[in-house]
Amino acid sequence: MLIELKNGETYNGNLVKCDTWMNIYLREVICTSKDGDQFWKIPECFIRGNTIKYMRIPDEVIDLVKDEPIRRHQNYRSARGRGGARVGNRPQHAPNKKSKTGGQPGGRGGGQGPKNKKSEN
């Protein structure tokens, strides 16, 4: 595979490993300078993901991982987002006297505010 960095250098080698941050480990690498006038043969090379500008990946590699994202995230779709959906057997709060709609009383603060008591004389 061919990798061009933001500084203009290119690396052409065999992909060994790639992680979620797009850090790449190559073997049997040929490095080309920015100007294209110098070449280096390197046995192995590590490239940090945030320095990559462009990657050319062979079709064989793309075919190997084509189904991977679908399988990995299939189980997490129902639990995404903010509130609204009930997942599993979570208990619902019972209705109470202070709330007309049921559920827990009060808002985000959780406190119940001052209570007025009649003083007896």
Side-chain angles (χ1 to χ4, degrees):
M1 73 181 297
L2 176 85
I3 299 172
E4 183 178 338
L5 302 185
K6 292 177 183 176
N7 67 4
E9 293 179 349
T10 60
Y11 291 81
N12 197 349
N14 297 326
L15 177 65
V16 175
K17 189 175 182 181
C18 179
D19 63 15
T20 55
W21 295 277
M22 210 166 67
N23 297 324
I24 294 179
Y25 183 69
L26 299 173
R27 283 207 178 123
E28 300 174 17
V29 182
I30 297 175
C31 177
T32 307
S33 68
K34 181 178 181 178
D35 303 328
D37 57 351
Q38 294 180 330
F39 299 92
W40 298 275
K41 188 169 183 175
I42 306 169
E44 52 191 32
C45 175
F46 176 82
I47 300 172
R48 188 175 164 126
N50 68 347
T51 63
I52 296 173
K53 176 182 177 182
Y54 173 81
M55 289 177 26
R56 189 167 58 192
I57 303 170
D59 291 335
E60 305 88 52
V61 176
I62 293 173
D63 291 339
L64 289 173
V65 294
K66 196 175 267 187
D67 299 331
E68 182 77 19
I70 295 169
R71 282 186 276 136
R72 184 182 309 158
H73 298 294
Q74 205 168 24
N75 298 334
Y76 299 108
R77 288 187 184 205
S78 62
R80 284 189 154 183
R82 292 182 58 155
R86 293 280 173 196
V87 179
N89 292 328
R90 288 184 180 171
Q92 297 224 359
H93 295 288
N96 59 38
K97 297 174 189 173
K98 293 190 178 194
S99 174
K100 293 179 183 178
T101 61
Q104 288 185 335
R108 301 184 100 190
Q112 298 199 6
K115 296 188 179 189
N116 295 332
K117 291 187 177 181
K118 294 181 182 178
S119 59
E120 295 179 22
N121 289 354

